Amino acid sequence: MSKMNFKRILLVTMTLLTMTSTAVAGKYKNFKVSTYIRAQDVARMEDEKFLNQTWETVSSQVDLDKIYLETHRDAFIVPEKTLLKVKKFFQSKGLEIGGGITFTRSEPSDFETYSYARPEEREQVKHISEYTAKFFDDFILDDFFFIDLKNDDEIAAKGNKSWTEYRLRLMADAGRELVVGPAKKVNPKVKVIIKYPNWYDHFHGLGFNLEEEPVYFDGLWTGTETRDPGSAQHLQNYLSYNIIRYFDNIAPGKNGGGWVDAGGIHMSMDRYAEQLHLTMLARTPEIILWNYMQLNDVKIDARMRAPWQDAGGNSFRYDEMVVPFQKKGKTVTPTTMARFADVTLHETDKLIGLLGNPIGLASYKPYHSSGEDFLQNYLGMIGLPMDMYPQWKEGQQQILLTQQAAKDPQIVEKIKQQLKKGGDVIITTGLLKAMKEPLGDVAELYCGDLKAIVNDFGFLGKSDREFIIPQVKYFTNDAWEVVSAGRPLTGGVSGYPILLRDTYSKGMLFVLTIPDDFGNLYDYPAPALNVIRRAMSKDVGAYIEGPSKVALFPYDNKTMVVENFNDTSVNLRVVVNTKVNSLRNLLTGETYKPATLPQVVPGWGRNRFFGYADGATVFDITLPAHSYIGLGY
């Protein structure tokens, strides 16, 4: 071989390596950003004009690393010719390519799924899986790998089982037999991923099997949409973070990312941006912006600018997002929500690399359990950092148990062992009501059907409204109220426990009263919330003081993020349970010096829950509306 030919080959090889490196190089430092195209929209891309125009709109406003092309939705399969054409087009743009499947027969008909008791429909599911595996080395099942049908065939197949028992077994087997197995026969290296939606506390009722499916699927994805907390699914903002952590703990290393749609953007740009930001705070490796056509079609509207933007200083700044910007030497005028996603994720990317691994107050939610649904997300919104596990978590100083824990027949014995080791157990009134007799061997407490209307927390403040709580009964001097409420409590005639404590062996049992409407947790006055946060901060090492709707996200490298979800600015205190010299703003480098500690409020044997622990360090910060701050110590 001549030197000239060798040089040419070397040059070509280096060029190809450079192109390959460029094609797979991420546009973000700490995660990938992807999008997803529905089957019907993939089919529309047979029209090259449509294909090029949508790509120009989307790609000019948001940086993407990967795109998922769906092969099937609503009994429609994208033709092979079109699928290959669209796949080649996006590969030419330097994107990674994955596949997707939605196993619906008709979304408009209440998300009608396939009937897995019918042989012909099972065969169709198997065919779709095999077809998709031909074209992709990884593909995701969108939200709908469950069953919501009660036709005569399903009724006959169910027999004497409950619907939950039948559906859990049916879908766990269908995943193996109709999706993963057939796909791997066609393409042995294919990775089959199941994406779970955001309504995790109801999964078992429709056949999503979180105990078995994450074991044999190659990966899972997480729906982190929270949208409008007051309508539809009623999911609180905090879920966008909390659900990622829960799925991480179900299948460590297999949770591929979060998934956010445009729902909630009608409330404001901030509501959409918060979902993206919270998803990434959980340190997930990838996010899917659902979906490509929303990025193309949802136009920027001045009504997306919230009133609190006028105050300035916000983390998500509408006015900056909508001004023209430079990209690849061109001036781009933002036109769609894609720009909101791009700015939010690039800003979040600057913070994520400075954070460690998420930590929090361990909360045990057994597989397929029900009761006090989604409560942990409300607790996250009052500043208690949640970390949910499907198994009992050993080695913790504190464990939180909601009514869901009653699913475990050994729960009382586990509670005893935790207390005998000198740890704390925090139970909710929902669990106490569900397990009065078994728990009586630990503490003789009672929570029945009696209710109280309260609004006054005594020297810990008053609520702006009255609300209903369950009444907790106990033996005087056997258990003690840490936080109480009445109507009124000060100068009144009745009071009821909000936070109750009892002892057992070397440990302490707490009962946290949960209002009938979980949203009334946000009505607890700040001083009462401060006591609750302080009592439950042992494993975190820090807590916040201030109003509700402010969340704390702690990490194991002595960093944290504090985020304000209120429509107004809030003054907060960050309390570190040890002596530190300063707090630093992770992004700006600004430092905060310790505040002067107030005197401890006197109380009958309760001083440990009021004031500050010896060696604690307190810092004052102010957070604008719908804004966050990263802190380190």
Side-chain angles (χ1 to χ4, degrees):
M1 181 185 297
S2 68
K3 290 184 178 180
M4 182 61 69
N5 286 337
F6 176 78
K7 288 180 178 179
R8 285 176 178 171
I9 293 172
L10 182 61
L11 179 61
V12 170
T13 302
M14 292 178 64
T15 301
L16 288 173
L17 286 172
T18 301
M19 291 172 62
T20 302
S21 176
T22 302
V24 299
K27 299 176 177 66
Y28 305 81
K29 292 181 179 179
N30 298 289
F31 47 78
K32 290 181 182 178
V33 175
S34 306
T35 191
Y36 187 106
I37 308 181
R38 297 177 301 174
Q40 286 77 4
D41 295 320
V42 174
R44 293 169 67 192
M45 290 176 178
E46 178 65 32
D47 179 349
E48 290 191 18
K49 183 178 180 182
F50 177 77
L51 177 58
N52 281 285
Q53 284 182 345
T54 55
W55 172 247
E56 176 61 27
T57 298
V58 173
S59 65
S60 67
Q61 296 180 87
V62 62
D63 290 327
L64 296 173
D65 298 304
K66 187 171 183 177
I67 199 159
Y68 294 84
L69 306 179
E70 190 175 73
T71 60
H72 171 275
R73 178 180 293 254
D74 285 8
F76 169 77
I77 296 177
V78 180
E80 179 173 339
K81 178 183 175 183
T82 302
L83 191 61
L84 289 173
K85 174 182 177 178
V86 176
K87 179 182 176 182
K88 182 178 179 181
F89 173 84
F90 286 114
Q91 283 177 324
S92 74
K93 304 302 180 183
L95 295 180
E96 297 179 51
I97 310 295
I101 300 173
T102 297
F103 283 119
T104 50
R105 291 185 60 81
S106 175
E107 282 188 85
S109 301
D110 295 329
F111 301 126
E112 180 187 345
T113 65
Y114 279 87
S115 181
Y116 293 88
R118 292 175 173 171
E120 67 276 13
E121 295 194 29
R122 291 174 64 89
E123 189 60 32
Q124 181 68 358
V125 169
K126 179 173 177 285
H127 166 69
I128 294 163
S129 303
E130 293 169 334
Y131 179 76
T132 305
K134 286 171 50 180
F135 306 106
F136 304 102
D137 288 337
D138 66 283
F139 66 83
I140 292 179
L141 308 187
D142 191 7
D143 281 4
F144 301 95
F145 192 62
F146 60 80
I147 184 166
D148 56 4
L149 302 175
K150 294 180 180 176
N151 57 41
D152 290 344
D153 292 314
E154 299 293 343
I155 292 170
K158 180 181 83 70
N160 294 325
K161 297 177 183 176
S162 71
W163 280 108
T164 293
E165 291 171 332
Y166 167 66
R167 287 170 165 177
L168 282 171
R169 182 75 271 131
L170 177 73
M171 297 310 297
D173 292 342
R176 290 188 185 92
E177 299 166 4
L178 306 180
V179 182
V180 177
K184 289 185 180 291
K185 285 185 179 180
V186 172
N187 180 358
K189 61 182 180 180
V190 71
K191 293 183 178 180
V192 186
I193 301 161
I194 183 167
K195 183 254 176 170
Y196 292 112
N198 47 15
W199 37 276
Y200 63 87
D201 260 336
H202 301 158
F203 279 178
H204 46 290
L206 285 90
F208 273 133
N209 194 321
L210 288 178
E211 186 172 15
E212 295 185 40
E213 290 168 350
V215 176
Y216 67 81
F217 275 98
D218 296 297
L220 59 93
W221 271 68
T222 310
T224 56
E225 308 95 334
T226 47
R227 309 187 185 102
D228 182 352
S231 66
Q233 297 166 319
H234 309 294
L235 301 176
Q236 304 304 293
N237 311 42
Y238 190 82
L239 180 142
S240 292
Y241 167 90
N242 188 41
I243 190 172
I244 291 270
R245 291 298 304 136
Y246 181 45
F247 290 171
D248 281 350
N249 293 330
I250 286 175
K254 295 183 79 171
N255 191 2
W259 178 301
V260 177
D261 65 21
I265 203 167
H266 66 283
M267 298 180 68
S268 71
M269 170 276 297
D270 305 68
R271 183 74 281 273
Y272 173 62
E274 283 169 347
Q275 295 173 76
L276 305 175
H277 175 71
L278 292 173
T279 298
M280 307 324 292
L281 284 187
R283 298 303 310 271
T284 196
E286 188 175 343
I287 187 170
I288 287 180
L289 305 175
W290 173 269
N291 64 62
Y292 185 83
M293 292 310 300
Q294 286 186 345
L295 297 174
N296 182 79
D297 294 342
V298 178
K299 305 301 182 185
I300 292 175
D301 188 313
R303 289 173 292 183
M304 297 173 182
R305 186 185 188 278
W308 52 80
Q309 293 280 334
D310 291 336
N314 310 86
S315 295
F316 310 110
R317 297 175 292 278
Y318 177 93
D319 293 342
E320 294 180 18
M321 292 184 183
V322 299
V323 298
F325 63 98
Q326 293 292 310
K327 187 170 186 176
K328 296 181 180 179
K330 295 182 179 179
T331 299
V332 179
T333 299
T335 57
T336 77
M337 60 173 273
R339 178 60 174 164
F340 297 154
D342 188 69
V343 175
T344 299
L345 291 169
H346 275 295
E347 286 296 310
T348 299
D349 193 25
K350 297 174 184 177
L351 176 63
I352 296 302
L354 304 173
L355 306 175
N357 298 310
I359 57 175
L361 172 61
S363 180
Y364 173 40
K365 172 183 162 50
Y367 290 112
H368 320 316
S369 59
S370 297
E372 294 181 312
D373 293 349
F374 306 107
L375 174 59
Q376 287 89 343
N377 301 300
Y378 290 86
L379 298 178
M381 292 290 286
I382 63 169
L384 295 175
M386 294 288 100
D387 205 8
M388 293 168 55
Y389 289 83
Q391 301 93 10
W392 181 270
K393 185 77 163 63
E394 296 288 353
Q396 301 298 112
Q397 296 184 70
Q398 297 183 305
I399 297 283
L400 169 69
L401 304 176
T402 71
Q403 187 179 345
Q404 298 159 342
K407 176 78 172 180
D408 184 346
Q410 302 300 317
I411 191 60
V412 174
E413 185 59 31
K414 290 174 180 177
I415 289 173
K416 289 180 180 178
Q417 291 304 312
Q418 171 75 1
L419 294 170
K420 287 179 179 179
K421 293 175 184 177
D424 295 343
V425 176
I426 303 148
I427 66 171
T428 63
T429 41
L431 181 62
L432 176 59
K433 184 175 181 180
M435 298 196 66
K436 172 183 178 289
E437 296 302 327
L439 282 170
D441 200 34
V442 177
E444 292 182 304
L445 308 171
Y446 174 72
C447 183
D449 295 326
L450 292 175
K451 306 291 183 180
I453 300 174
V454 300
N455 66 353
D456 183 6
F457 290 69
F459 68 90
L460 293 177
K462 290 187 177 181
S463 168
D464 290 334
R465 72 183 78 191
E466 297 178 339
F467 52 88
I468 300 172
I469 62 169
Q471 293 187 23
V472 177
K473 304 296 184 180
Y474 60 94
F475 289 135
T476 300
N477 291 333
D478 182 62
W480 295 83
E481 294 182 36
V482 180
V483 178
S484 308
R487 188 185 64 163
L489 183 65
T490 303
V493 294
S494 298
Y496 308 94
I498 294 296
L499 183 65
L500 185 74
R501 65 178 177 89
D502 202 342
T503 56
Y504 181 90
S505 185
K506 303 179 189 67
M508 190 169 295
L509 178 76
F510 290 93
V511 179
L512 179 63
T513 296
I514 305 299
D516 283 16
D517 176 352
F518 297 168
N520 287 135
L521 286 165
Y522 305 158
D523 295 315
Y524 286 16
L529 291 176
N530 295 344
V531 176
I532 294 169
R533 295 164 182 150
R534 183 180 303 125
M536 301 180 188
S537 67
K538 289 183 179 179
D539 285 307
V540 176
Y543 60 94
I544 57 173
E545 293 190 333
S548 62
K549 294 188 180 179
V550 180
L552 172 67
F553 304 92
Y555 300 84
D556 65 0
N557 66 339
K558 297 184 178 180
T559 63
M560 66 183 83
V561 175
V562 183
E563 187 146 356
N564 175 22
F565 298 102
N566 288 282
D567 294 347
T568 58
S569 176
V570 296
N571 295 318
L572 302 168
R573 282 196 146 170
V574 174
V575 182
V576 180
N577 289 339
T578 57
K579 179 67 176 178
V580 297
N581 294 324
S582 64
L583 273 183
R584 70 184 185 281
N585 184 313
L586 295 177
L587 293 177
T588 69
E590 178 185 359
T591 59
Y592 299 86
K593 295 301 180 183
T596 302
L597 292 178
Q599 292 183 344
V600 175
V601 178
W604 286 95
R606 302 181 298 180
N607 287 354
R608 77 188 85 174
F609 303 108
F610 298 89
Y612 301 102
D614 291 341
T617 317
V618 179
F619 301 89
D620 291 328
I621 65 170
T622 299
L623 269 181
H626 294 273
S627 295
Y628 62 88
I629 188 171
L631 298 167
Y633 60 93

